[in-house]
Amino acid sequence: MAYNITLILGDGIGPEVMTSTRKIIDATGVDINWEIVEAGATTVEAQGTPLPELVLNSMRNNKVALKGPITTPIGEGFKSVNVKIRQELNLFANIRPINSYDGINSIHKDVDFIIVRENTEDLYSGTEHMVGEDAAESIKIITRKASERICRYAFELCKTQRRKKVTLVHKANIMKLSDGLFLECGRKIAKEYKDIEFEEIIVDAMAMKLVQSPQHYDVIVAPNLYGDILSDLSAGLIGGLGLAPGANIGEDIAVFEPVHGSAPDITGKNLANPTSAILSGVMMLKYIGESQAAKKIEEALSNTFKDKHNRTVDLGGKLGTREFTMKVIENMQE
Ligand code: NAI
């Protein structure tokens, strides 16, 4: 059976890492009709919008998408396409596994946890306004519905993956109402899962503890902004953003994308590490039930990393995006 899957190459290094990922997935033999649609910088110029309705419709129809990073102008211009996609399609859970790889020179070894980030509200609701000329307000929205839903998702993930502990991140000492509500919801849901350990921690302390002892963590659940920041911090612990995959999960639609952005500093130079995108593709294959193909790629990646010469520049090596991709495909065929 062929799968229809939406593919958005994205901006910056997006086309480089997504082309690599597509080649590797195609090399597994899984039969996919890639429906390639454009969003981001190219469509702003050609169609006057960074997110044409056709792109959302493609994802609504196919239910599964693989997406490259899309640039968001800083401090001006259009709102984030990435946030809009998550909100429009109600992709309420952002799942970001953080795993250290044997042989990769990283700050920490034996790291294996998953960040479950609320994906639809918090300060990302985009409700901002000026108060006169010299003050600005951003409204942080936390609802019981979304908080209970994401906390339940974290506990269910913990259960299905046979993990042991959920850590909830908050700042309810300061934001007593908004983060207080998130924490209240987490505590309530935790009572339904007696076999799973539950702990809560203030976000600033969490940042320090993650740097010092990331091995302590198993499943981390957080409101949108803290989840976003801690994801990049966590990627830094295991070798960088080149190694951090992600998934945006809704009731019946899922969009898989690397944690990193469009990396304008290395765009078009064959320097990007495609591993985060490839691992996002692995998550996608597991989601559609193609576990064998997913395993094949995971094994090929880990065999590729066993040879110290097989490193992209971000990991201290010399391989370009394309050369690294070829090595993974070679290892898959062995
Ligand atoms: P970034 O993640 O693009 O880059 C941060 C640093 O990590 C840069 O030095 C970059 O070279 C490096 N890096 C990122 N991915 C890499 C890879 N695969 N291989 C090697 N090095 C890699 O973050 P930045 O610069 O803050 O954002 C650039 C643009 O991307 C912004 O417009 C931002 O809004 C957007 N963005 C989009 C996301 C998405 O589409 N989901 C997520 C994050 C940012």
Side-chain angles (χ1 to χ4, degrees):
M1 184 193 78
Y3 300 93
N4 293 323
I5 292 180
T6 302
L7 177 62
I8 304 171
L9 298 177
D11 294 325
I13 58 169
E16 296 168 74
V17 297
M18 301 319 283
T19 303
S20 155
T21 303
R22 179 188 169 173
K23 278 190 185 153
I24 288 170
I25 292 178
D26 286 345
T28 64
V30 175
D31 192 4
I32 295 177
N33 295 325
W34 297 104
E35 189 171 301
I36 300 178
V37 291
E38 282 186 32
T42 43
T43 62
V44 174
E45 280 163 36
Q47 301 176 43
T49 168
L51 185 59
E53 196 55 28
L54 175 150
V55 174
L56 287 170
N57 284 338
S58 170
M59 292 189 274
R60 285 188 188 110
N61 288 337
N62 294 331
K63 311 280 185 219
V64 180
L66 192 57
K67 172 189 163 297
I70 294 179
T71 301
T72 310
I74 294 176
E76 54 175 23
F78 59 82
K79 286 188 180 175
S80 165
V81 170
N82 311 304
V83 173
K84 184 124 193 262
I85 289 174
R86 295 164 191 167
Q87 288 171 347
E88 284 286 324
L89 303 179
N90 200 14
L91 307 172
F92 63 88
N94 193 342
I95 310 302
R96 295 173 155 185
I98 300 288
N99 286 98
S100 51
Y101 262 104
D102 285 347
I104 299 275
N105 200 7
S106 57
I107 301 174
H108 281 284
K109 302 275 169 242
D110 302 320
V111 178
D112 172 19
F113 62 82
I114 306 176
I115 295 179
V116 178
R117 165 188 172 196
E118 202 291 320
N119 220 12
T120 59
E121 50 182 36
D122 192 357
L123 281 161
Y124 290 67
S125 54
T127 317
E128 283 193 309
H129 53 250
M130 293 301 295
V131 183
E133 280 187 8
D134 299 320
E137 281 180 356
S138 271
I139 315 272
K140 170 164 165 137
I141 296 174
I142 300 282
T143 65
R144 190 179 300 282
K145 186 177 169 207
S147 304
E148 286 192 359
R149 186 172 55 179
I150 198 68
C151 290
R152 180 164 281 110
Y153 192 94
F155 277 94
E156 281 299 315
L157 187 74
C158 192
K159 193 164 99 182
T160 50
Q161 295 215 359
R162 295 175 190 202
R163 290 173 179 266
K164 296 194 163 49
K165 181 169 57 186
V166 173
T167 305
L168 180 146
V169 181
H170 66 89
K171 187 79 184 170
N173 51 332
I174 304 297
M175 280 159 280
K176 293 178 194 293
L177 296 183
S178 52
D179 279 21
L181 178 58
F182 190 82
L183 178 58
E184 181 194 320
C185 292
R187 286 176 179 165
K188 179 182 158 208
I189 301 295
K191 291 200 180 104
E192 296 173 21
Y193 296 84
K194 300 256 182 274
D195 297 338
I196 296 176
E197 194 189 329
F198 175 64
E199 61 181 17
E200 43 189 70
I201 181 164
I202 295 174
V203 62
D204 35 350
M206 182 63 171
M208 181 196 71
K209 291 202 172 188
L210 266 177
V211 171
Q212 288 184 329
S213 47
Q215 297 82 358
H216 173 81
Y217 297 99
D218 204 358
V219 174
I220 296 167
V221 63
N224 210 337
L225 180 63
Y226 311 147
D228 194 5
I229 296 169
L230 294 178
S231 300
D232 278 34
L233 182 150
S234 302
L237 300 173
I238 53 149
L241 280 166
L243 296 171
N248 302 284
I249 309 282
E251 294 296 346
D252 63 344
I253 305 177
V255 177
F256 297 82
E257 63 175 341
V259 171
H260 64 72
S262 54
D265 51 339
I266 55 167
T267 294
K269 296 179 179 161
N270 195 33
L271 285 177
N273 183 351
T275 308
S276 336
I278 298 167
L279 288 171
S280 306
V282 165
M283 290 176 83
M284 185 195 82
L285 287 169
K286 288 182 182 165
Y287 178 86
I288 62 175
E290 293 289 345
S291 308
Q292 285 299 326
K295 204 167 157 218
K296 222 167 148 180
I297 299 177
E298 282 177 321
E299 283 173 3
L301 263 177
S302 103
N303 285 334
T304 307
F305 283 134
K306 275 185 191 147
D307 181 346
K308 286 204 167 20
H309 296 100
N310 293 337
R311 299 278 184 281
T312 42
V313 176
D314 56 315
L315 299 177
K318 292 201 170 97
L319 291 190
T321 315
R322 290 189 290 274
E323 293 71 28
F324 180 81
T325 306
M326 299 283 289
K327 291 277 178 205
V328 178
I329 294 176
E330 272 167 32
N331 274 323
M332 239 163 63
Q333 284 158 352
E334 266 172 20

